[in-house]
Amino acid sequence: MTISFASQIQELSYRKVADYLQSSNLFKETVRADTDQPRFDSLYGSTLVEIEVLPWEVHPWEAADLATVRATSCVTVGSSINAQLMHFLLTENRRMRFGAFHLDEANQVLFSESVLGGENMDLMELQTCILSVVTIADTYDDIIAQRFGGQRAVDRLAKS
């Protein structure tokens, strides 16, 4: 199946991300491209990171097709979703220079960051985005699992 794009900018961004990931010494050995969506994943150390190229449809500029590149990593699965965890995540978000914690539909703790795609997408910013996500996920998975229960995402990957 072929990937469909919402705009030429999204497609251009996808191609730039693909070129970067497939030629980067950091990711080229483990990068996998999704065949249906403009998305990749890569194992970096013990952390799996998903990189999506998304259209940016609601933005402040009237006449612009824009795309964003979002890197996301699952930090923990099955942690107790309670006020203490939410307070911890929000407090830690304030400390972050890049990215933020959030929950997905299955209440998994995720960490993600985005950069602007397109013609002027800076590859250093893309690399920083991806590396920030994997570094934070790898650092915080032990902390969150120990304090709030659940499993590190890497532990779940090892079992499956």
Side-chain angles (χ1 to χ4, degrees):
M1 181 173 240
T2 60
I3 299 171
S4 66
F5 298 96
S7 68
Q8 290 179 332
I9 295 298
Q10 183 189 18
E11 184 173 4
L12 171 67
S13 300
Y14 175 83
R15 304 244 179 267
K16 288 180 83 167
V17 171
D19 289 346
Y20 167 72
L21 291 172
Q22 292 165 353
S23 65
S24 168
N25 287 335
L26 299 172
F27 304 106
K28 69 181 178 185
E29 298 297 322
T30 63
V31 68
R32 296 181 304 187
D34 190 310
T35 57
D36 299 328
Q37 302 290 322
R39 177 175 51 214
F40 305 88
D41 66 39
S42 184
L43 193 61
Y44 184 85
S46 63
T47 305
L48 183 69
V49 62
E50 182 178 276
I51 300 108
E52 300 173 280
V53 181
L54 305 165
W56 188 12
E57 295 155 343
V58 179
H59 52 73
W61 299 276
E62 284 185 35
D65 283 332
L66 298 173
T68 59
V69 178
R70 179 173 60 198
T72 304
S73 185
C74 182
V75 181
T76 62
V77 176
S79 296
S80 296
I81 307 302
N82 56 33
Q84 291 79 21
L85 175 61
M86 296 300 101
H87 183 266
F88 175 80
L89 295 177
L90 288 171
T91 302
E92 293 304 304
N93 276 346
R94 185 170 180 268
R95 297 180 57 214
M96 295 298 143
R97 299 296 179 256
F98 301 101
F101 289 103
H102 62 277
L103 302 177
D104 69 1
E105 301 81 17
N107 283 330
Q108 298 177 116
V109 177
L110 306 176
F111 189 83
S112 66
E113 180 189 353
S114 299
V115 295
L116 187 61
E119 214 171 291
N120 297 318
M121 181 173 61
D122 185 291
L123 293 181
M124 178 61 92
E125 286 182 15
L126 176 63
Q127 182 180 37
T128 301
C129 171
I130 297 167
L131 290 176
S132 294
V133 168
V134 297
T135 301
I136 295 298
D138 189 45
T139 300
Y140 278 83
D141 60 358
D142 294 321
I143 296 167
I144 293 171
Q146 184 177 45
R147 287 183 63 183
F148 304 101
Q151 293 180 302
R152 300 176 315 158
V154 69
D155 297 332
R156 298 258 314 183
L157 284 174
K159 288 181 181 178
S160 57

